[in-house]
Amino acid sequence: MTTHDVTLVVLDMAGTTVADDGLVELAFAAAARSQGVETGSPEHTAMLAHVRATMGESKISVFRHLFGDEDRAQAANLAFEAAYDSLVDEGRCEALPGAAEAIAELRGRGLKVVLTTGFARTTQDRILDALGWQSAADLTLCPADAGRGRPYPDMVLTALLRTRTDSVRQIAVAGDTGYDMLTGTRAGASVVAGVLTGAHDEARLRADGATHVLGSIAELPAVLLG
């Protein structure tokens, strides 16, 4: 099967199609402070290193690891969402160059496009509203829609089921993190494309299974459509 047999494209949001510009780290700082971890402290520095290493993972899973207590994890997650939502409301959310055009081109050529995130649905919807992307894709998914977030294959496989795609080999996955690559490979996608506009470098993307590494999502239509 070649890249031209792809009929479903599953795209990450922050860092891949949507500019991050440090918003995740700012929101994490607010979440950490809500749990008594001050910005710049050794504990915060260690936690931030974990956040950076696990970019792309469901945020509640990250907080469960960091705080080891469900109540604290849920409280931190709520604080994270509130902080991120405020940043979006301040206008600090924009599409990456060429992202909207790439999505439109893929859909215009008959491919299904699904946008996925590690954020909660409320935050995902806020980003979509801010960008005017409510109808940009065929479907949008967050971890709660699928069962588990990245690096598990659930969101990609849910996209397959919801779009009635015939085979995992007809899927292309694109993202900016190693966890996006793991999600794609575990789901059996034939194209797992890393982009260099977000969290992780080419070495990390390839180590976690990237079949292609692109400068940005703007290059993906050429890979899939030729």
Side-chain angles (χ1 to χ4, degrees), residues 3 22 25 28 39 53 65 76 85 115 133 138 153 155 183 211-212 219:
T3 56
E25 293 190 10
F28 167 72
T39 303
H65 174 87
D85 290 351
L115 293 172
W133 278 14
D138 294 277
M155 285 196 289
T183 292
T211 60
H212 301 71
E219 299 173 19

Side-chain angles (χ1 to χ4, degrees), residues 9 19 31 35 46 48 57 68 71 88 102-103 114 119 121 140 142 157 166 172 180 185 208 210 220 226:
V9 186
Q35 298 304 304
L48 183 57
E57 184 178 354
D71 289 342
V88 172
I103 293 169
V114 177
F119 297 145
R121 167 56 64 182
T140 63
C142 68
L157 296 177
D166 294 338
D180 291 303
T185 57
D208 285 338
L220 186 63

Side-chain angles (χ1 to χ4, degrees), residues 184-201:
T185 57
R186 291 174 177 180
S190 61
V191 175
V192 181
V195 297
L196 299 174
T197 50
H200 294 154
D201 61 15

Side-chain angles (χ1 to χ4, degrees), residues 5-19:
D5 296 313
V6 167
T7 62
L8 170 62
V9 186
V10 181
L11 302 176
D12 171 52
M13 292 179 66
T16 303
T17 54
V18 181

Side-chain angles (χ1 to χ4, degrees), residues 49-101:
H50 178 77
V51 169
R52 288 171 174 165
T54 59
M55 282 288 190
E57 184 178 354
S58 168
K59 292 298 173 281
I60 184 62
S61 297
V62 173
F63 290 127
R64 283 175 179 140
H65 174 87
L66 291 176
F67 295 110
D69 175 89
E70 186 64 20
D71 289 342
R72 290 188 75 197
Q74 291 290 347
N77 195 53
L78 286 173
F80 175 91
E81 291 173 12
Y84 199 97
D85 290 351
S86 293
L87 292 166
V88 172
D89 290 345
E90 290 169 12
R92 299 182 62 176
C93 178
E94 59 184 14
L96 280 164
E101 294 81 0

